[in-house]
Amino acid sequence: MVITLLLAVALAGYTVGLLRLWRRGVPWPVGRFLSWVMGVAAVGAALVGPAADAAHHDFAAHMAAHVLLGMLGPLLLVLAAPATLALRALPTRAARPLGRLLGSTPMGVLAHPVTAAVLNVGGLWLLYRSDLYALTLVHPGAHLLVHFHVLAAGYLFSYAIVGPDPALHRPGPPTRAVVLVLAVAAHNVLAKTVYAFPPTGVPVDQAREGGLVMYYAGAPVEIALIVVLCHRWLGPAARSRAAGRVMARG
């Protein structure tokens, strides 16, 4: 019930901000709103309903929820640019603290691609290559904390790599590309170790199914991250070169 309420608040908050901009005549891409809706839906599917219930006793279903909660959902939420929407929709007095937070040194360290990758992929290695996963099966508090970490770390990683929201200390595309490739490799190696060496408390057949889900269902999200990063990295350069050739002909 609490999770459903939080998801509803997330949808309502974004919608209110969007309507405020539209009332002032400020444009905002509809695609970003749809990305937010789909992101909230992906997170909701991982936490509430039949899929979430199945994840408690079926490791393959758990891995499907992991992809929704830690990969697809965060990417869609990040592409919706919620911080930019808030900065534009909130009154100046309320927007200034958010702007200072996004530009602060601690946020720069936390949202650095390397930090975000360690928190995201490193957290998954800790979860599945220690007894932590088995602990989440018997302790609801640990289960809840792990879910929160997976969502938050997945969001932070997507934000650090391709987020359209402001990040004053974000390194350039080459650094982000290297970190992304290494993070994808570490995630895929983890999926293979899950397949070959089941986490504590997971039957061999379920571990193999879960490893396959982690590897193959996560791949489209990883490809999407690569495509978005390349588009933002190479797109402006390509347009600049094209404009230069047009001016040269003129």
Side-chain angles (χ1 to χ4, degrees), residues 12 21 38 56 59 85 93-94 111 124 135 138 148 180 190 202 205:
L21 290 187
M38 291 186 294
H56 290 289
F59 190 68
L85 177 67
R93 181 176 298 179
L124 294 176
L135 182 66
V138 295
F148 174 78
L180 177 56
L190 176 59
V202 179
D205 58 337

Side-chain angles (χ1 to χ4, degrees), residues 11-249:
L11 281 174
Y14 196 98
T15 303
V16 169
L18 178 62
L19 292 176
R20 283 184 178 178
L21 290 187
W22 284 355
R23 281 198 296 266
R24 298 205 308 258
V26 179
W28 186 260
V30 175
R32 286 185 174 177
F33 174 69
L34 295 177
S35 181
W36 184 260
V37 172
M38 291 186 294
V40 172
V43 171
L47 297 177
V48 183
D53 293 338
H56 290 289
H57 55 80
D58 185 331
F59 190 68
H62 163 83
M63 276 303 185
H66 149 73
V67 172
L68 291 172
L69 183 65
M71 300 181 72
L72 179 60
L75 176 58
L76 290 169
L77 294 175
V78 162
L79 294 179
T84 301
L85 177 67
L87 288 171
R88 295 182 184 180
L90 289 171
T92 302
R93 181 176 298 179
R96 281 174 181 166
L98 176 59
R100 287 195 294 268
L101 174 63
L102 292 174
S104 65
T105 299
M107 178 58 72
V109 173
L110 185 64
H112 190 281
V114 174
T115 308
V118 170
L119 290 173
N120 187 29
V121 184
L124 294 176
W125 273 87
L126 177 63
L127 175 62
Y128 298 120
R129 299 272 54 103
S130 71
D131 293 333
L132 181 56
Y133 176 73
L135 182 66
T136 65
L137 298 177
V138 295
H139 289 282
H143 185 76
L144 181 62
L145 287 175
V146 166
H147 271 169
F148 174 78
H149 173 82
V150 168
L151 175 59
Y155 185 95
L156 186 65
F157 181 70
S158 293
Y159 167 73
I161 299 297
V162 298
D165 281 327
L168 297 182
H169 304 284
R170 180 182 290 151
T175 300
R176 284 181 274 154
V178 171
V179 173
L180 177 56
V181 169
L182 293 176
V184 168
H187 183 269
N188 291 341
V189 169
L190 176 59
K192 293 178 180 179
T193 67
V194 167
Y195 182 94
F197 307 103
T200 303
V202 179
V204 173
D205 58 337
Q206 288 194 22
R208 289 179 175 176
E209 292 178 5
L212 291 174
V213 171
M214 185 179 186
Y215 187 90
Y216 289 107
V221 184
E222 294 165 347
I223 292 171
L225 279 166
I226 294 171
V227 169
V228 173
L229 177 59
C230 289
H231 174 74
R232 292 184 176 165
W233 178 8
L234 303 177
R239 288 193 293 270
S240 177
R241 289 194 298 269
R245 286 195 294 269
V246 170
M247 293 178 65
R249 293 193 195 101

